[in-house]
Amino acid sequence: EGHRQGEWLDRLETDNENLRAALEWSLAGATETALRLTSSLWLFWRIRGYLAEGRRWLEAAFASAGSPSEARAESLLGLGVITADLGDYALAQERCSASLEDYRQLGHRRGVGRALRHVGATWLFLRSSERAAPLLAESLATLEKAGDERDVAWTLRYVGAAQLANGEPERGRASLLRSLSLLRRVGDKHAMAWVLHDLVAASIREGRTGAEPLADEEMAVALEIGDRRAVGAALGQMATLALGRGDRARARQLIERSHALCWETGYAQGVAWALTTLAHLARAEGDTARAWATLRKCLGEMRPGRIAVTGEDALALAGLLAIDQGAHADGARLVASSSRSASRLWPAARFGAWELSNFESALASARAALGQDAFDRAWQEGQAMTLEQSVEYALGLGPDPQ
């Protein structure tokens, strides 16, 4: 934490083998020592991209834990956060909720505020900003009373995300900018990278200018502290900006690097976003078979408990591809099933105005082919589908896999 964050992360990286040996030894019998180690190391594992390894150590320490302690509560919180990064949002919510229970029992105000934040964040990942908002509001109030600017800033990031999801772009942007201001003061580069990431995404979605300098800063900050997950995410943002400029070659280069790094670190949402972007590129290049094949890789991972906002983008693109091949009603259903977020008519707004025009054109084509009444029926049917149903529906469309 703080202005020396990168220096301390480098020291931990240098000592990583010794730390692994200490964990092995402590898990053989020194349970509380193991919990103290995992509670201190989980943020290092998260930033440097050791997600799967970190999850294994945290699960092993928790499995042998006894009664609630600060080390157990913090290890549970780290386990929940890393599990969410790996894409298992339902299990992440269970772990973060267990941490919250421990921290409440211990009367640890800052721990309660942080655990509330991450329980709220899991609801955001599971597409329920309505459930996230009160938890995040309680987290913010609790942490403001605790007087920790860094944690207040982290919670403001998720408050802003919830406001954006609820169709409040000005309030969401204000929360993110307040978060960024606090983080610059306390020097938390890890958190800064992710708030900048959210500001870039909001700028693209809203058609604002100034996204590229923010993306450049996001990348510079992530590289400075060796935040591999954030570097992968920043590459994805830069690819989106390249698409907006019409530079498909550069977009492909960036998104392939993003996919490789997110896959290597296990960052599930980054992998899903990269695959969706690659499928968009294949469609733009007229390669429908490759677009469907790439999209199926993304949709195939979206089983219950793992479907996040990126799932909406994939479903919307599946709808576009269905319309392209003349399955107008199928396409309208899928776009409708993905468009229930209050913040935008359909998820492709995440790509900016260039992709919105594609959606408008495709839906106009479907409406003309079906007629207004049939189009409206298909749209209503899509909006009545659950995301799980929509994913199964999309996987049944397109050319037969080779």
Side-chain angles (χ1 to χ4, degrees):
E1 298 181 9
H3 292 278
R4 299 177 65 192
Q5 191 175 54
E7 177 185 338
W8 283 107
L9 287 165
D10 288 343
R11 288 186 182 186
L12 290 170
E13 192 76 63
T14 300
D15 288 339
N16 205 7
E17 286 304 319
N18 291 331
L19 292 169
R20 287 171 175 142
L23 283 161
E24 288 281 8
W25 172 83
S26 62
L27 286 168
T31 302
E32 191 61 26
T33 299
L35 284 169
R36 285 199 297 271
L37 283 168
T38 54
S39 68
S40 299
L41 289 171
W42 73 262
L43 188 57
F44 162 70
W45 292 323
R46 188 185 196 207
I47 293 173
R48 289 297 169 95
Y50 298 113
L51 297 178
E53 180 185 357
R55 182 176 179 174
R56 287 195 300 272
W57 290 123
L58 286 157
E59 285 178 337
F62 174 63
S64 58
S67 58
S69 66
E70 185 175 338
R72 188 181 99 151
E74 186 62 22
S75 292
L76 272 169
L77 187 61
L79 179 55
V81 172
I82 285 178
T83 299
D85 290 338
L86 289 164
D88 195 338
Y89 305 116
L91 181 57
Q93 189 170 87
E94 288 181 24
R95 299 308 191 207
C96 291
S97 296
S99 172
L100 176 59
E101 185 177 338
D102 276 8
Y103 271 128
R104 286 197 194 281
Q105 188 171 334
L106 294 165
H108 193 296
R109 176 182 283 176
R110 180 172 176 245
V112 167
R114 293 170 62 246
L116 281 165
R117 173 174 72 230
H118 289 292
V119 176
T122 59
W123 280 119
L124 281 178
F125 299 145
L126 289 166
R127 300 178 67 254
S128 184
S129 55
E130 298 82 4
R131 292 188 182 185
L135 291 162
L136 294 170
E138 186 181 353
S139 169
L140 186 60
T142 302
L143 292 168
E144 285 176 335
K145 288 178 183 175
D148 190 301
E149 285 190 325
R150 175 183 177 275
D151 274 318
V152 167
W154 261 116
T155 295
L156 280 168
R157 181 213 170 185
Y158 291 108
V159 169
Q163 289 164 336
L164 290 169
N166 284 330
E168 302 174 278
E170 295 303 324
R171 290 186 68 204
R173 188 175 185 82
S175 294
L176 291 173
L177 288 171
R178 183 185 165 202
S179 173
L180 184 61
S181 176
L182 289 172
L183 291 168
R184 290 193 196 283
R185 184 155 67 228
V186 300
D188 188 331
K189 299 292 181 68
H190 169 55
M192 279 176 59
W194 289 99
V195 174
L196 286 163
H197 179 87
D198 291 349
L199 282 166
V200 173
S203 296
I204 294 170
R205 204 160 47 229
E206 297 159 25
R208 292 177 180 265
T209 59
E212 299 213 13
L214 291 171
D216 289 342
E217 185 181 5
E218 174 191 353
M219 177 62 81
V221 168
L223 287 170
E224 181 181 341
I225 62 167
D227 189 334
R228 297 169 70 225
R229 192 172 57 95
V231 169
L235 286 165
Q237 296 282 48
M238 289 178 164
T240 301
L241 289 165
L243 277 173
R245 297 192 304 270
D247 189 347
R248 292 180 192 164
R250 179 62 173 160
R252 178 172 294 283
Q253 179 187 54
L254 289 165
I255 203 62
E256 285 178 348
R257 288 170 58 197
S258 173
H259 179 259
L261 190 50
C262 291
W263 180 266
E264 184 182 329
T265 59
Y267 179 41
Q269 190 158 322
V271 170
W273 177 239
L275 288 171
T276 303
T277 306
L278 285 166
H280 268 287
L281 275 166
R283 176 182 180 267
E285 294 162 355
D287 193 340
T288 302
R290 182 157 54 90
W292 273 114
T294 305
L295 199 57
R296 281 196 176 100
K297 292 179 185 176
C298 182
L299 293 169
E301 285 296 309
M302 293 181 186
R303 56 187 181 274
R306 293 181 63 93
I307 298 174
V309 174
T310 45
E312 296 179 331
D313 296 289
L315 287 168
L317 177 55
L320 266 190
L321 290 169
I323 291 170
D324 289 346
Q325 65 187 35
H328 297 102
D330 291 332
R333 289 185 190 101
L334 286 172
V335 176
S337 76
S338 73
S339 67
R340 286 166 290 194
S341 171
S343 65
R344 56 198 191 275
L345 180 57
W346 43 74
R350 185 170 178 173
F351 284 99
W354 73 270
E355 189 61 19
L356 273 176
S357 65
N358 284 349
F359 271 77
E360 289 163 355
S361 174
L363 289 174
S365 172
R367 190 179 290 107
L370 293 170
Q372 189 65 52
D373 289 346
F375 179 88
D376 288 345
R377 282 195 301 274
W379 191 268
Q380 290 165 8
E381 289 164 3
Q383 292 208 309
M385 296 165 72
T386 66
L387 263 185
E388 289 82 2
Q389 290 169 337
S390 302
V391 168
E392 289 302 313
Y393 192 80
L395 286 169
L397 300 176
D400 292 334
Q402 297 300 312

